[in-house]
Amino acid sequence: MSEPKAPTPAPGDTYKGWLFKWTNYIKGYQRRWFVLSNGLLSYYRTQAEMGHTCRGTINLATANIAVEDSCNFVISNGGTQTYHLKASSEVERQRWITALELAKAKAFRMQAESDDSGDDSTPPAAGQGAGSRNSEVQSTLRTLGSKVEDLSTCNDLIAKHGSALQRSLSELEGVRLGGETSEKIRQVTERATLFRITSNAMINACRDFLALAQAHSKRWQKALQAEREQRVRLEETLEQLAKQHNHLERAFRGATVLPPSQSNPAIDSKGPVPGKGDVSDEDEENEFFDACEDVQEFITVPADPKYHRRSGSNVSGISSELGMDDGTTSLDEQSLASNPDSPQSQEVVPVRKRRSRIPDKPNYSLNLWSIMKNCIGKELSKIPMPVNFNEPLSMLQRLSEDLEYYELLDRGAKCQSSLEQMCYVAAFTVSSYSTTVHRTGKPFNPLLGETFELDRVQESGYRSLCEQVSHHPPAAAHHAISERGWTLRQEIALASKFRGKYLSIMPLGSIHCIFEKSNNHYTWKKVTTTVHNIIVGKLWIDQSGEIDVVNHRTGDRCHLKFAPYSYFSRDVARKVTGVVTDKDGKAHYVLSGTWDEKMECSRVMQSSRGGENGADGRQKTVYQTLKAKELWRKTPLPEGAENMYYFSTLALTLNEPEEGVAPTDSRRRPDQRLMEQGRWEEANAEKQRLEEKQRITRREREREANRAANPAEEGKEPADGAEEVEIASEPSETTYKSGHHDNYKSMWFEQQVDPMTGEPTHIYRGGYWEAKEQGNWDSCPDIF
């Protein structure tokens, strides 16, 4: 953005432009947008911030303006505010100095006039309203003077006739009359005298008031004018504060106004004068960032009001799939209203009442010596990890928790637009992380062949099946299908890296979501989960990375960015932002929110390149958007969740015993059940038994595989493999893509090459729900 080439401003003009402002010794001079108006110099990071966020203001009436060199100058009010500024050229600096001096002189003159009661000069009117009020005051004063003159005339008449009355009464006193008549005349004379004295006093008071009003009228007028101008300034300040409050409130809830601060490479290398600073500069003070922190790639601003006032036909011209202005329905309401078979019109009656509590977590202290003494003389791969680090759910059950907010996919299935559908799929992707914010317990590693079913057809319209299909590397396959027109499948393997202070968990594999009606096929991958304070301190979890949700049928794409937590960042914690684009790269929606609370969607009406540069030197994209609509909001945790491993309402029901499930179902796992019941010592013993049983089963399976491959080496014992349950070998991307090597054939899934991603994956082959209906589990292995 080029520098403004404005002419020298006249007195009273508003002057705006870019200047470089000194911030601190780390960031040096930063480019800021300055506005000079009404004797106040304010600045903003960008022009877009003028509507909601002012970064600082200095009053020129008491300020000192000093020129340092050809381009630099300093503005200080003698107190805590000092601005060290630099113009792009000497001519531009002179324009600013002239404008500032004129504004300072005007502000000083206005202040002096408001304090000087003897100055007869009339202050300039603040506007048409102020001029009309001045005329009203002058008219009132003229009327008051006229009335006082009338009173003075009346006083003269009263005095004249009063004197004549007193003379007449005096003459009557000289006449010889009766005693009673003389007494009456005397009383009349006294009353006439009192009347004359009173009327004179009234007239004198009115004359004094008129003289006082005339003497102070000009001072009152100037004081009134100053008060009006002060009120206007206060109203503007109040409006600005209201906008800032609204901006901060939106930012706290994950709003999309993103004001990043960037260094400008155009600044010369001239070093700042030592001692420069600005303690009043709220946007620069203590502004530091982690080296790994990435800066937002785009900025969103409210769209032009003309988009909100369009008629129905014009709105349809902007977007045939969705109207996002204030007068239209939300995404959810419009999608459901367009379908007569909406689930809102059907009464859902749960088949059974699910449990809402589990036994409280025992407050057992972890005795490290009891762990270490059990490790003496054992191989590292066979060291049992106590259940103290676990939660009473398996990894398969945690994987099924991705369906907690299945309603997002139900709504997406009813969308007529693939771009609108993409918004719901992206919100569903983010919602799967909402249950992890407090869940620091490790889920049980599933045994090979372990399964978990989640049948919610009559309650929610879907059913889900998970199976542990590999243990070296560990991988689980998941398949869910809904009667409302969508299918979700995934195969996830976990790789982890211990970094000393934290543990990074990288999920490998893709997630697929297919909508039956439109045949839209979406894929995405999960982001990295980081567990902090592994050694010392309270454990806490963060999600970071980027997700690309791709519609393989239309080419639509949603790029989601999970911002890592940074102690020095002022941004909202756990923030997620994203942009939905079509196959040509045109942005249609902007998503924003947090992965632990909610996601919102804003319709993009116009996009342009902004004035600030990104981390790579490119200009950021500015999106003009309509009012944000909420896509998803996290359901509050049940009461007492802190004593129940912070389980959600769905998680509390996952390990509830059910009749008719497979013998390999996680609900039948004894060590997990004992832990849920608070019997941790028995759970540890049972867990160790299951691990040893799985080692024996694997050795037997390897022996049979060796016999089939090498009959001559039938008598040789295979080497004992890595620990089967808790310390399994870590997969890599290469290992994952090359397939699994457990010599195990899955019961309900078969391995295929995914046509969309080209990766080997396990896809549901069918038969589980039929076997459940028949009660035929003869082919299931005995793993518990």
Side-chain angles (χ1 to χ4, degrees):
M1 186 174 294
S2 61
E3 305 294 334
K5 302 301 181 183
T8 302
D13 286 354
T14 298
Y15 194 59
K16 306 176 182 178
W18 291 101
L19 288 171
F20 297 108
K21 180 179 178 297
W22 171 257
T23 58
N24 52 51
Y25 284 100
I26 294 180
K27 309 198 74 172
Y29 282 97
Q30 295 291 304
R31 198 164 182 247
R32 297 291 180 260
W33 180 255
F34 280 81
V35 177
L36 175 60
S37 178
N38 295 327
L40 301 175
L41 180 65
S42 306
Y43 74 96
Y44 311 83
R45 282 187 175 176
T46 63
Q47 297 182 54
E49 283 192 346
M50 289 180 62
H52 51 77
T53 305
C54 178
R55 300 291 174 174
T57 301
I58 191 168
N59 189 349
L60 295 179
T62 58
N64 180 40
I65 304 172
V67 177
E68 290 189 335
D69 54 30
S70 60
C71 295
N72 292 51
F73 57 100
V74 179
I75 303 175
S76 175
N77 63 357
T80 59
Q81 289 180 295
T82 301
Y83 293 172
H84 294 266
L85 306 176
K86 177 189 290 187
S88 59
S89 64
E90 186 174 358
V91 175
E92 185 64 25
R93 187 218 65 185
Q94 189 56 45
R95 287 195 183 115
W96 276 103
I97 292 296
T98 303
L100 291 169
E101 292 291 354
L102 290 173
K104 177 182 177 181
K106 179 181 176 182
F108 182 80
R109 184 171 62 253
M110 291 295 297
Q111 184 175 2
E113 288 176 351
S114 64
D115 295 335
D116 185 9
S117 60
D119 191 356
D120 294 335
S121 62
T122 302
Q128 184 177 359
S132 63
R133 294 189 183 96
N134 287 336
S135 300
E136 182 180 353
V137 172
Q138 293 288 351
S139 176
T140 302
L141 290 175
R142 284 195 297 270
T143 303
L144 179 62
S146 175
K147 294 299 181 182
V148 171
E149 290 177 359
D150 292 344
L151 288 175
S152 179
T153 302
C154 292
N155 177 69
D156 294 337
L157 292 175
I158 290 173
K160 177 180 177 182
H161 295 297
S163 298
L165 177 61
Q166 286 182 338
R167 285 196 301 270
S168 299
L169 291 175
S170 298
E171 293 173 357
L172 287 175
E173 289 178 356
V175 179
R176 290 290 183 180
L177 296 176
E180 183 178 354
T181 304
S182 299
E183 181 64 24
K184 293 292 185 182
I185 292 174
R186 188 180 64 78
Q187 292 178 359
V188 171
T189 302
E190 290 178 355
R191 291 174 181 174
T193 303
L194 291 174
F195 175 75
R196 180 174 59 82
I197 294 172
T198 303
S199 63
N200 286 336
M202 179 188 67
I203 295 300
N204 290 334
C206 290
R207 184 179 292 108
D208 293 339
F209 172 76
L210 177 61
L212 185 64
Q214 290 174 343
H216 294 278
S217 62
K218 287 184 172 56
R219 181 176 181 180
W220 291 342
Q221 290 179 48
K222 286 182 287 188
L224 181 62
Q225 178 69 16
E227 290 295 327
R228 288 199 185 101
E229 292 179 353
Q230 181 68 14
R231 187 190 68 180
V232 171
R233 286 195 294 268
L234 289 175
E235 289 175 349
E236 292 175 352
T237 304
L238 183 61
E239 181 180 3
Q240 192 176 72
L241 289 174
K243 290 180 180 179
Q244 291 183 22
H245 173 75
N246 182 54
H247 168 67
L248 292 173
E249 189 175 27
R250 289 177 57 200
F252 180 77
R253 296 196 304 263
T256 57
V257 179
L258 309 171
S261 177
Q262 303 297 321
S263 298
N264 193 309
I267 304 297
D268 56 32
S269 59
K270 180 179 177 180
V273 178
K276 289 183 179 180
D278 184 5
V279 297
S280 66
D281 191 356
E282 62 89 18
D283 72 318
E284 308 299 338
E285 187 173 296
N286 299 328
E287 182 173 355
F288 304 97
F289 297 89
D290 291 345
C292 63
E293 183 179 4
D294 202 357
V295 183
Q296 191 60 42
E297 299 173 353
F298 61 87
I299 303 172
T300 61
V301 297
D304 194 293
K306 66 182 180 180
Y307 293 117
H308 298 266
R309 296 192 297 268
R310 291 182 181 266
S311 64
S313 59
N314 289 337
V315 170
S316 64
I318 298 173
S319 170
S320 60
E321 64 267 3
L322 180 62
M324 291 292 288
D325 59 285
D326 295 336
T328 60
T329 58
S330 66
L331 285 169
D332 184 21
E333 294 168 345
Q334 188 179 40
S335 300
L336 295 179
S338 63
N339 193 318
D341 298 328
S342 169
Q344 290 185 346
S345 61
Q346 303 174 3
E347 185 178 359
V348 179
V349 180
V351 174
R352 56 176 291 182
K353 181 176 177 60
R354 305 285 177 179
R355 69 180 184 180
S356 58
R357 289 198 63 84
I358 61 173
D360 288 352
K361 178 182 179 181
N363 188 20
Y364 292 151
S365 60
L366 182 61
N367 190 341
L368 294 178
W369 170 246
S370 64
I371 300 176
M372 295 174 61
K373 70 178 182 180
N374 292 331
C375 302
I376 299 174
K378 292 186 178 181
E379 295 181 14
L380 181 62
S381 63
K382 296 183 180 180
I383 296 175
M385 300 300 293
V387 298
N388 302 60
F389 299 105
N390 289 63
E391 63 179 17
L393 288 179
S394 75
M395 193 57 164
L396 301 181
Q397 291 166 317
R398 284 290 292 268
L399 201 58
S400 300
E401 283 190 69
D402 286 358
L403 298 170
E404 173 128 13
Y405 299 97
Y406 67 92
E407 301 97 335
L408 292 169
L409 297 182
D410 289 348
R411 297 168 192 166
K414 301 180 186 304
C415 293
Q416 302 298 321
S417 164
S418 62
L419 293 168
E420 179 188 350
Q421 190 177 73
M422 174 68 82
C423 293
Y424 282 114
V425 175
F428 174 79
T429 302
V430 176
S431 71
S432 63
Y433 297 97
S434 63
T435 61
T436 65
V437 62
H438 299 298
R439 301 272 289 278
T440 56
K442 175 184 178 296
F444 281 78
N445 279 359
L447 304 174
L448 187 61
E450 184 176 335
T451 61
F452 177 73
E453 69 163 69
L454 185 62
D455 191 350
R456 295 288 194 269
V457 170
Q458 296 187 18
E459 299 150 277
S460 306
Y462 72 88
R463 56 175 35 160
S464 162
L465 176 66
C466 294
E467 181 182 359
Q468 186 77 359
V469 296
S470 173
H471 202 59
H472 287 278
H478 180 208
H479 182 272
I481 186 168
S482 172
E483 294 179 340
R484 295 167 189 171
W486 55 265
T487 301
L488 185 75
R489 62 177 174 88
Q490 58 182 318
E491 180 179 346
I492 298 296
L494 298 178
S496 61
K497 292 183 179 179
F498 181 62
R499 303 291 188 180
K501 293 184 179 180
Y502 60 90
L503 177 70
S504 296
I505 303 171
M506 291 77 69
L508 307 177
S510 299
I511 305 173
H512 298 252
C513 183
I514 304 99
F515 290 95
E516 180 181 346
K517 183 179 179 181
S518 62
N519 202 30
N520 287 330
H521 190 143
Y522 298 87
T523 62
W524 67 91
K525 295 178 181 291
K526 288 181 174 288
V527 296
T528 299
T529 299
T530 306
V531 184
H532 294 267
N533 294 340
I534 292 293
I535 304 299
V536 178
K538 183 178 179 181
L539 293 176
W540 61 277
I541 292 177
D542 192 23
Q543 312 286 349
S544 61
E546 298 181 2
I547 294 178
D548 280 313
V549 185
V550 181
N551 185 341
H552 292 274
R553 188 183 72 84
T554 63
D556 301 338
R557 182 181 296 266
C558 177
H559 181 75
L560 293 171
K561 184 172 181 180
F562 289 65
Y565 175 80
S566 173
Y567 178 78
F568 297 104
S569 175
R570 297 189 306 273
D571 219 339
V572 180
R574 309 181 185 97
K575 188 169 188 177
V576 181
T577 55
V579 179
V580 176
T581 58
D582 57 21
K583 62 180 180 180
D584 299 321
K586 180 182 177 181
H588 290 266
Y589 293 98
V590 170
L591 305 179
S592 67
T594 57
W595 54 262
D596 68 325
E597 182 182 359
K598 69 174 183 177
M599 286 297 293
E600 292 180 339
C601 170
S602 302
R603 174 74 179 174
V604 176
M605 307 310 298
Q606 188 176 352
S607 62
S608 60
R609 289 293 180 182
E612 293 195 20
N613 293 330
D616 56 358
R618 295 181 301 177
Q619 286 185 324
K620 297 181 181 179
T621 303
V622 177
Y623 295 118
Q624 292 188 22
T625 62
L626 296 181
K627 184 179 179 181
K629 302 295 182 180
E630 187 173 274
L631 293 172
W632 159 77
R633 179 177 289 274
K634 180 184 176 182
T635 303
L637 293 176
E639 185 178 357
E642 65 276 5
N643 299 321
M644 298 183 294
Y645 308 91
Y646 287 98
F647 282 178
S648 64
T649 303
L650 175 63
L652 289 173
T653 67
L654 294 180
N655 206 42
E656 185 177 7
E658 290 190 18
E659 295 295 331
V661 299
T664 55
D665 195 272
S666 299
R667 299 177 180 89
R668 300 184 183 274
R669 182 164 175 166
D671 54 347
Q672 187 172 298
R673 179 67 60 192
L674 289 169
M675 181 189 179
E676 181 185 284
Q677 295 171 354
R679 299 154 62 183
W680 284 17
E681 291 187 6
E682 298 174 61
N684 281 322
E686 190 63 26
K687 182 171 178 287
Q688 192 170 358
R689 181 189 69 81
L690 291 176
E691 293 173 3
E692 185 60 32
K693 180 178 180 179
Q694 183 165 242
R695 291 191 193 95
I696 295 173
T697 302
R698 179 176 182 178
R699 284 197 294 266
E700 190 65 30
R701 189 167 57 248
E702 289 177 347
R703 186 179 296 112
E704 292 178 359
N706 288 334
R707 287 172 185 168
N710 303 301
E713 302 181 4
E714 182 175 339
K716 294 184 178 180
E717 287 287 332
D720 196 7
E723 193 267 342
E724 297 293 329
V725 176
E726 298 296 342
I727 309 180
S729 60
E730 292 291 349
S732 63
E733 189 72 29
T734 304
T735 305
Y736 176 76
K737 290 184 177 180
S738 63
H740 310 307
H741 310 285
D742 268 311
N743 297 317
Y744 170 76
K745 184 178 180 181
S746 169
M747 285 290 300
W748 314 110
F749 293 81
E750 61 181 353
Q751 190 172 24
Q752 301 177 7
V753 176
D754 193 301
M756 292 294 178
T757 63
E759 299 173 349
T761 186
H762 283 78
I763 298 178
Y764 178 61
R765 65 158 58 97
Y768 179 87
W769 303 107
E770 293 77 7
K772 179 183 179 181
E773 185 176 353
Q774 299 170 6
N776 182 13
W777 304 114
D778 295 339
S779 58
C780 290
D782 179 19
I783 60 174
F784 298 143

